[in-house]
Amino acid sequence: QVQLVESGGGLVQAGDSLRLSCAASGGTFSDYGMGWFRQAAGKEREFVAAISRSGDIRDYVDSAKGRFTISRDSAKNTVYLQLNTLKPEDTAVYYCAARLWAYSVYASNYNYWGQGTQVTVSS
């Protein structure tokens, strides 16, 4: 059983940056592709970014390209999401997820989820 704990969310102004962290425990971190998803109030959960087991392949939703960066640190069993040039439309609860063997852009493919961290961007 893998446990995921997100942190790093907060209230920021448009144009600011945040770094989200997701600490994993209870499994072999290198066995899992990792993803970040977000869910705004009244909307469905959407894919934001994902990274392969080795960290050499990264995938992003179009709205995140050039602004967000996903990375992973195997020594710390942690995956990060650097959020730059934040916009009010980025306001959401951000979730970290783990999928055995390979990442996916589809939430339904993930085996484990964190509890989420709130990101609020004011204009």
Side-chain angles (χ1 to χ4, degrees):
Q1 190 78 3
V2 174
Q3 292 82 43
L4 303 172
V5 179
E6 301 99 331
S7 61
L11 171 63
V12 297
Q13 294 186 332
D16 286 350
S17 298
L18 281 174
R19 188 176 80 157
L20 307 183
S21 300
C22 172
S25 61
T28 302
F29 187 60
S30 60
D31 285 347
Y32 292 86
M34 303 296 295
W36 283 97
F37 291 76
R38 65 186 180 186
Q39 188 166 16
K43 296 187 177 181
E44 293 188 355
R45 191 169 298 191
E46 67 169 352
F47 169 74
V48 177
I51 190 166
S52 63
R53 292 165 56 199
S54 63
D56 59 346
I57 301 173
R58 306 176 188 190
D59 205 349
Y60 298 93
V61 67
D62 285 347
S63 61
K65 291 177 181 177
R67 299 191 302 128
F68 298 176
T69 303
I70 189 171
S71 61
R72 64 190 296 161
D73 185 335
S74 295
K76 297 182 178 180
N77 286 357
T78 300
V79 62
Y80 302 98
L81 186 66
Q82 178 68 41
L83 309 173
N84 294 332
T85 320
L86 281 161
K87 304 176 181 180
E89 52 263 42
D90 294 319
T91 295
V93 178
Y94 283 71
Y95 296 91
C96 169
R99 181 176 189 243
L100 193 60
W101 304 130
Y103 77 83
S104 173
V105 302
Y106 300 105
S108 60
N109 286 343
Y110 282 83
N111 308 105
Y112 302 101
W113 290 85
Q115 83 289 348
T117 185
Q118 176 72 47
V119 172
T120 303
V121 185
S122 64
S123 57

